[in-house]
Amino acid sequence: FPALTQAKRTPLGHRLVEKGLLTEDQLDAAITNPVRRRLGHELLLRGHIDTTQLVQTLAEQLDMEWAPLNPFKLDKRLIDAVPRKVATHYGVLPAAEEGSTLVLASEGPVSQVSLGAISRQLKRPVRCRLAPQGRVTLGIRYWYPSLRQSADVHHMLEVLEQHQDDEDLLERVSHHQVLLGNLLQVRGMVPPSLFNQAMIDFDAERMSLGEHLISRGIITRQVLEQALDEQATEQQAAFAIAREVE
């Protein structure tokens, strides 16, 4: 049993090296990159792994189930059953039903406390499984668009919808998806503990996440603008890929 516990705690990068998907030199270069990103995201951008290899390894590390997800082929009936507020707040998409249980997809672990809160709001049992990087982010932007959604994002989603059977296109665009909250935490602009506290009373219907964090005194306007600029820079590659296939 101790060996099993230790195996589960093996860091993501070391797991990828053990699986032969990554060399030690590639891992060291990714970790020491001066631009701070989540390791999985950094490795995707460097072309060392794909999103399936990443989610498989992450699922092993977290002892979670995972399944492929095409965010443009979800059941509209299930989407309608999950309010925008829930999907955007918790970063989940309704992916399937198993009897009365709603199966949610996420790109990272969702706490049991959060799953309990979702279950109470939806008045039905729920469980969560992992989806490959970028799929839930794209799905939330597609099915639950913000009134502040930019023309570039709208165009990218239109192209992906029109070419929804093109798995290579979806894979390439997914590499460049990054949520503002993740960026703020990874860049060290907001401590995870403070971010999680702020999310308790965050209402995406009332204001943007950035404005909410400013109103709580967690970040300044300058920090928000810097983060949004960095997020936009990350997205430019995705927009360019979408323009290529028109």
Side-chain angles (χ1 to χ4, degrees), residues 20-235:
L21 299 173
L22 201 64
T23 68
E24 290 284 1
D25 287 345
Q26 289 171 333
L27 176 59
D28 289 342
I31 291 172
T32 57
N33 182 14
V35 178
R36 292 166 66 183
R37 298 186 179 97
R38 287 189 171 178
L39 178 60
H41 185 203
E42 180 67 31
L43 294 172
L44 289 173
L45 293 180
R46 289 171 178 257
H48 295 325
I49 59 174
D50 60 34
T51 59
T52 297
Q53 293 166 331
L54 175 59
V55 74
Q56 285 176 333
T57 308
L58 188 61
E60 291 170 7
Q61 182 191 38
L62 298 172
D63 194 23
M64 287 183 66
E65 176 190 351
W66 79 276
L69 182 75
N70 187 320
F72 302 95
K73 295 185 175 183
L74 298 178
D75 187 337
K76 179 67 163 58
R77 181 179 57 84
L78 297 184
I79 293 292
D80 291 340
V82 178
R84 179 178 183 274
K85 180 179 178 180
V86 171
T88 57
H89 187 116
Y90 296 101
V92 296
L93 279 177
E97 281 182 311
E98 294 177 350
S100 62
T101 299
L102 183 64
V103 180
L104 302 172
S106 70
E107 291 174 25
V110 179
S111 72
Q112 289 301 315
V113 172
S114 294
L115 287 175
I118 295 171
S119 179
R120 287 191 296 274
Q121 290 180 65
L122 301 184
K123 296 180 172 57
R124 65 184 300 183
V126 300
R127 70 178 188 84
C128 191
R129 69 188 184 200
L130 293 177
Q133 160 83 27
R135 286 4 182 236
V136 174
T137 302
L138 287 168
I140 289 174
R141 288 172 173 159
Y142 176 71
W143 293 103
Y144 305 98
S146 164
L147 295 175
R148 298 173 291 274
Q149 189 176 90
S150 71
D152 281 332
V153 171
H154 182 72
H155 174 261
M156 175 187 70
L157 294 172
E158 275 192 335
V159 170
L160 289 170
E161 180 188 24
Q162 292 164 7
H163 299 269
Q164 59 186 261
D165 292 320
D166 188 337
E167 290 294 333
D168 180 64
L169 174 61
L170 180 59
E171 172 74 14
R172 291 165 61 209
V173 170
S174 292
H175 287 193
H176 301 284
Q177 301 306 305
V178 57
L179 291 172
L180 179 62
N182 289 344
L183 191 150
L184 286 167
Q185 294 175 79
V186 172
R187 295 287 203 275
M189 298 172 179
V190 177
S193 57
L194 268 184
F195 182 81
N196 291 334
Q197 279 184 343
M199 288 300 291
I200 293 173
D201 62 349
F202 171 54
D203 184 352
E205 300 295 320
R206 292 181 56 245
M207 65 175 71
S208 69
L209 175 61
E211 294 297 333
H212 174 68
L213 293 173
I214 288 175
S215 72
R216 291 285 300 270
I218 292 173
I219 61 172
T220 63
R221 176 75 55 188
Q222 181 181 5
V223 166
L224 174 60
E225 289 175 358
Q226 179 189 348
L228 289 173
D229 285 345
E230 292 186 26
Q231 185 185 39
T233 299
E234 293 270 8
Q235 284 278 46

